[in-house]
Short mmCIF file of all heavy atoms in Angstrom, two decimals:
data_model
loop_
_atom_site.label_atom_id
_atom_site.label_comp_id
_atom_site.label_asym_id
_atom_site.label_seq_id
_atom_site.Cartn_x
_atom_site.Cartn_y
_atom_site.Cartn_z
N LEU J 187 94.74 42.95 92.23
CA LEU J 187 95.22 42.20 93.39
C LEU J 187 94.33 42.35 94.63
O LEU J 187 94.79 42.18 95.76
CB LEU J 187 96.68 42.53 93.72
CG LEU J 187 97.72 41.63 93.03
CD1 LEU J 187 97.66 41.70 91.52
CD2 LEU J 187 99.10 41.95 93.50
N VAL J 189 91.91 40.31 94.82
CA VAL J 189 91.89 38.85 94.97
C VAL J 189 93.22 38.37 94.41
O VAL J 189 93.57 38.73 93.29
CB VAL J 189 90.77 38.22 94.12
CG1 VAL J 189 90.78 36.71 94.24
CG2 VAL J 189 89.43 38.78 94.52
N ARG J 190 93.95 37.56 95.17
CA ARG J 190 95.28 37.17 94.70
C ARG J 190 95.66 35.83 95.31
O ARG J 190 94.94 35.30 96.14
CB ARG J 190 96.31 38.26 95.05
CG ARG J 190 96.20 38.69 96.51
CD ARG J 190 97.46 39.06 97.14
NE ARG J 190 98.41 37.98 97.15
CZ ARG J 190 98.36 36.95 98.01
NH1 ARG J 190 97.40 36.85 98.91
NH2 ARG J 190 99.28 36.00 97.96
N GLY J 191 96.83 35.32 94.85
CA GLY J 191 97.24 33.98 95.27
C GLY J 191 96.76 33.01 94.20
O GLY J 191 95.59 33.04 93.80
N ALA J 192 97.68 32.17 93.71
CA ALA J 192 97.36 31.34 92.55
C ALA J 192 96.08 30.50 92.73
O ALA J 192 95.18 30.57 91.89
CB ALA J 192 98.56 30.45 92.23
N PRO J 193 95.96 29.72 93.81
CA PRO J 193 94.74 28.91 93.92
C PRO J 193 93.47 29.76 94.02
O PRO J 193 92.46 29.46 93.38
CB PRO J 193 94.95 28.09 95.19
CG PRO J 193 96.45 28.05 95.36
CD PRO J 193 96.93 29.40 94.88
N LEU J 194 93.56 30.85 94.79
CA LEU J 194 92.33 31.64 95.01
C LEU J 194 91.84 32.32 93.74
O LEU J 194 90.63 32.45 93.53
CB LEU J 194 92.54 32.70 96.11
CG LEU J 194 91.21 33.35 96.51
CD1 LEU J 194 90.36 32.40 97.34
CD2 LEU J 194 91.41 34.65 97.25
N ILE J 195 92.75 32.75 92.87
CA ILE J 195 92.23 33.41 91.66
C ILE J 195 91.52 32.39 90.75
O ILE J 195 90.53 32.74 90.10
CB ILE J 195 93.29 34.28 90.91
CG1 ILE J 195 94.49 33.49 90.42
CG2 ILE J 195 93.73 35.45 91.76
CD1 ILE J 195 95.48 34.36 89.63
N ARG J 227 95.34 37.21 84.49
CA ARG J 227 96.77 37.30 84.87
C ARG J 227 97.49 36.14 84.17
O ARG J 227 96.92 35.06 84.04
CB ARG J 227 96.96 37.21 86.40
CG ARG J 227 96.48 38.44 87.15
CD ARG J 227 96.84 38.37 88.64
NE ARG J 227 98.23 38.73 88.90
CZ ARG J 227 98.79 38.61 90.10
NH1 ARG J 227 98.12 38.12 91.12
NH2 ARG J 227 100.04 38.98 90.29
N ALA J 230 100.03 32.61 87.06
CA ALA J 230 99.44 31.53 87.89
C ALA J 230 98.61 30.61 87.01
O ALA J 230 97.55 30.99 86.51
CB ALA J 230 98.59 32.14 88.99
N ASN J 232 96.89 28.10 87.83
CA ASN J 232 95.63 27.66 88.46
C ASN J 232 94.43 28.36 87.84
O ASN J 232 93.34 27.79 87.77
CB ASN J 232 95.65 27.98 89.96
CG ASN J 232 96.92 27.51 90.63
OD1 ASN J 232 98.00 27.98 90.27
ND2 ASN J 232 96.82 26.59 91.57
N LEU J 287 108.05 33.77 102.17
CA LEU J 287 107.92 34.98 101.34
C LEU J 287 106.49 35.08 100.84
O LEU J 287 105.83 34.05 100.66
CB LEU J 287 108.87 34.84 100.14
CG LEU J 287 108.84 35.93 99.08
CD1 LEU J 287 109.70 37.11 99.54
CD2 LEU J 287 109.38 35.42 97.75
N CYS J 288 106.05 36.28 100.58
CA CYS J 288 104.72 36.53 100.02
C CYS J 288 103.64 36.01 100.98
O CYS J 288 103.89 35.86 102.18
CB CYS J 288 104.58 35.91 98.63
SG CYS J 288 103.19 36.58 97.68
N ASN J 289 102.44 35.77 100.48
CA ASN J 289 101.37 35.23 101.30
C ASN J 289 100.85 33.96 100.67
O ASN J 289 100.43 33.97 99.51
CB ASN J 289 100.22 36.22 101.48
CG ASN J 289 99.04 35.54 102.17
OD1 ASN J 289 98.12 35.07 101.52
ND2 ASN J 289 99.09 35.44 103.48
N THR J 290 100.88 32.88 101.44
CA THR J 290 100.49 31.57 100.91
C THR J 290 99.50 30.90 101.87
O THR J 290 99.43 29.68 101.94
CB THR J 290 101.72 30.67 100.78
OG1 THR J 290 102.35 30.58 102.08
CG2 THR J 290 102.73 31.21 99.78
N GLY J 291 98.75 31.71 102.61
CA GLY J 291 97.86 31.15 103.62
C GLY J 291 96.40 31.12 103.18
O GLY J 291 96.09 31.01 101.99
N ALA J 294 95.17 33.23 100.32
CA ALA J 294 95.60 32.95 98.96
C ALA J 294 94.95 31.69 98.37
O ALA J 294 95.22 31.35 97.21
CB ALA J 294 97.13 32.79 98.93
N THR J 295 94.14 31.02 99.18
CA THR J 295 93.54 29.75 98.76
C THR J 295 92.11 29.68 99.31
O THR J 295 91.68 30.56 100.06
CB THR J 295 94.33 28.55 99.35
OG1 THR J 295 94.19 28.60 100.78
CG2 THR J 295 95.81 28.60 99.01
N GLY J 299 95.81 27.10 103.07
CA GLY J 299 96.99 27.63 102.39
C GLY J 299 97.96 26.51 102.04
O GLY J 299 97.69 25.32 102.25
N THR J 300 99.11 26.93 101.51
CA THR J 300 100.11 25.94 101.08
C THR J 300 101.33 26.02 102.02
O THR J 300 101.36 25.34 103.03
CB THR J 300 100.50 26.21 99.60
OG1 THR J 300 100.99 27.55 99.46
CG2 THR J 300 99.30 26.00 98.69
N ALA J 301 102.30 26.91 101.71
CA ALA J 301 103.47 27.03 102.59
C ALA J 301 103.04 27.45 104.00
O ALA J 301 103.48 26.88 105.01
CB ALA J 301 104.46 28.03 102.01
N LEU J 325 104.59 44.87 96.63
CA LEU J 325 103.22 45.04 97.10
C LEU J 325 102.97 44.53 98.51
O LEU J 325 101.86 44.57 99.01
CB LEU J 325 102.22 44.42 96.09
CG LEU J 325 102.26 45.15 94.74
CD1 LEU J 325 101.31 44.49 93.74
CD2 LEU J 325 101.91 46.63 94.88
N GLN J 327 102.92 41.72 100.27
CA GLN J 327 102.00 40.63 100.69
C GLN J 327 102.48 39.98 101.99
O GLN J 327 101.67 39.48 102.77
CB GLN J 327 101.91 39.55 99.59
CG GLN J 327 101.16 39.97 98.35
CD GLN J 327 102.06 40.56 97.29
OE1 GLN J 327 103.10 41.13 97.59
NE2 GLN J 327 101.67 40.46 96.03
N LEU J 331 99.83 40.88 104.62
CA LEU J 331 98.89 39.76 104.65
C LEU J 331 99.37 38.59 105.51
O LEU J 331 98.62 38.06 106.33
CB LEU J 331 98.62 39.27 103.22
CG LEU J 331 98.24 40.37 102.22
CD1 LEU J 331 98.04 39.78 100.82
CD2 LEU J 331 96.97 41.09 102.66
N VAL J 365 108.24 28.32 100.27
CA VAL J 365 107.43 29.32 99.56
C VAL J 365 106.34 28.59 98.78
O VAL J 365 106.36 27.36 98.67
CB VAL J 365 108.30 30.17 98.59
CG1 VAL J 365 109.39 30.93 99.34
CG2 VAL J 365 108.93 29.30 97.50
N GLY J 366 105.42 29.34 98.20
CA GLY J 366 104.39 28.76 97.35
C GLY J 366 104.83 28.81 95.90
O GLY J 366 105.99 29.10 95.59
N ALA J 367 103.89 28.54 95.00
CA ALA J 367 104.21 28.58 93.57
C ALA J 367 103.01 29.05 92.77
O ALA J 367 101.86 28.83 93.16
CB ALA J 367 104.64 27.20 93.07
N ASP J 368 103.31 29.69 91.66
CA ASP J 368 102.27 30.09 90.71
C ASP J 368 102.22 29.17 89.50
O ASP J 368 101.21 29.09 88.81
CB ASP J 368 102.48 31.54 90.26
CG ASP J 368 102.05 32.48 91.37
OD1 ASP J 368 102.82 32.62 92.35
OD2 ASP J 368 100.93 33.02 91.30
N ALA J 377 107.72 29.09 89.06
CA ALA J 377 107.58 30.54 89.18
C ALA J 377 106.85 30.85 90.48
O ALA J 377 105.89 30.15 90.83
CB ALA J 377 106.78 31.10 88.00
N ASN J 378 107.32 31.84 91.17
CA ASN J 378 106.63 32.33 92.37
C ASN J 378 106.98 33.81 92.54
O ASN J 378 107.77 34.37 91.77
CB ASN J 378 107.03 31.52 93.60
CG ASN J 378 106.16 31.85 94.81
OD1 ASN J 378 104.93 31.84 94.70
ND2 ASN J 378 106.76 32.17 95.93
N LYS J 379 106.40 34.42 93.55
CA LYS J 379 106.58 35.85 93.80
C LYS J 379 108.04 36.27 93.66
O LYS J 379 108.94 35.57 94.12
CB LYS J 379 106.05 36.16 95.20
CG LYS J 379 106.11 37.60 95.64
CD LYS J 379 105.52 38.56 94.65
CE LYS J 379 104.09 38.27 94.28
NZ LYS J 379 103.63 39.01 93.06
N ILE J 380 108.25 37.43 93.06
CA ILE J 380 109.59 37.96 92.88
C ILE J 380 110.30 37.98 94.25
O ILE J 380 109.72 38.39 95.26
CB ILE J 380 109.54 39.37 92.23
CG1 ILE J 380 110.90 39.81 91.77
CG2 ILE J 380 108.87 40.40 93.13
CD1 ILE J 380 111.37 39.12 90.53
N SER J 382 111.69 35.01 95.24
CA SER J 382 111.83 33.58 95.55
C SER J 382 113.18 33.05 95.08
O SER J 382 113.82 32.24 95.77
CB SER J 382 110.71 32.78 94.86
OG SER J 382 109.46 33.20 95.31
N ALA J 399 105.79 24.58 98.17
CA ALA J 399 104.55 23.87 98.52
C ALA J 399 103.43 24.34 97.59
O ALA J 399 103.20 25.55 97.46
CB ALA J 399 104.17 24.16 99.98
N PRO J 401 99.55 22.89 95.27
CA PRO J 401 98.66 21.80 94.85
C PRO J 401 98.99 21.36 93.42
O PRO J 401 99.65 22.09 92.67
CB PRO J 401 97.27 22.46 94.91
CG PRO J 401 97.53 23.90 94.69
CD PRO J 401 98.89 24.20 95.26
N GLU J 418 104.49 37.89 84.51
CA GLU J 418 103.72 39.13 84.49
C GLU J 418 104.61 40.32 84.85
O GLU J 418 105.30 40.30 85.87
CB GLU J 418 102.58 39.01 85.53
CG GLU J 418 101.73 40.25 85.69
CD GLU J 418 100.67 40.07 86.77
OE1 GLU J 418 100.61 39.01 87.43
OE2 GLU J 418 99.89 41.02 86.95
N ARG J 420 104.49 44.28 85.88
CA ARG J 420 103.48 45.16 86.48
C ARG J 420 103.91 46.63 86.38
O ARG J 420 105.05 46.93 86.04
CB ARG J 420 103.22 44.73 87.93
CG ARG J 420 102.61 43.31 87.92
CD ARG J 420 101.79 42.95 89.10
NE ARG J 420 100.85 43.90 89.62
CZ ARG J 420 99.52 43.84 89.45
NH1 ARG J 420 98.98 42.89 88.71
NH2 ARG J 420 98.75 44.73 90.02
N ALA J 448 106.48 40.59 88.37
CA ALA J 448 105.76 40.16 89.57
C ALA J 448 106.26 38.82 90.09
O ALA J 448 106.04 38.49 91.26
CB ALA J 448 104.27 40.08 89.27
N PHE J 449 106.91 38.06 89.23
CA PHE J 449 107.35 36.71 89.61
C PHE J 449 108.75 36.46 89.10
O PHE J 449 109.18 37.11 88.14
CB PHE J 449 106.40 35.66 89.01
CG PHE J 449 104.98 35.86 89.44
CD1 PHE J 449 104.08 36.55 88.64
CD2 PHE J 449 104.54 35.40 90.67
CE1 PHE J 449 102.78 36.78 89.06
CE2 PHE J 449 103.24 35.63 91.10
CZ PHE J 449 102.36 36.32 90.28
O1 MRU N 274 100.93 38.44 93.01
P1 MRU N 274 100.34 37.51 94.01
O2 MRU N 274 100.15 38.11 95.36
O3 MRU N 274 99.08 36.83 93.49
O4 MRU N 274 101.44 36.37 94.16
C1 MRU N 274 101.16 35.26 94.98
C2 MRU N 274 102.29 34.31 95.10
O5 MRU N 274 103.31 34.44 94.47
C3 MRU N 274 102.06 33.11 95.97
O6 MRU N 274 103.24 32.68 96.57
C4 MRU N 274 101.51 31.97 95.11
O7 MRU N 274 100.43 32.40 94.34
C5 MRU N 274 101.09 30.81 95.93
S1 MRU N 274 99.66 31.16 96.94
C6 MRU N 274 99.27 29.74 97.74
#
Side-chain angles (χ1 to χ4, degrees):
L187 269 61
V189 178
R190 48 146 300 282
L194 190 74
I195 60 177
R227 289 186 80 187
N232 311 62
L287 176 82
C288 197
N289 172 264
T290 57
T295 65
T300 58
L325 296 178
Q327 288 92 332
L331 310 178
V365 299
D368 285 76
N378 190 50
K379 181 51 56 194
I380 193 74
S382 300
E418 177 182 3
R420 296 205 44 104
F449 302 97

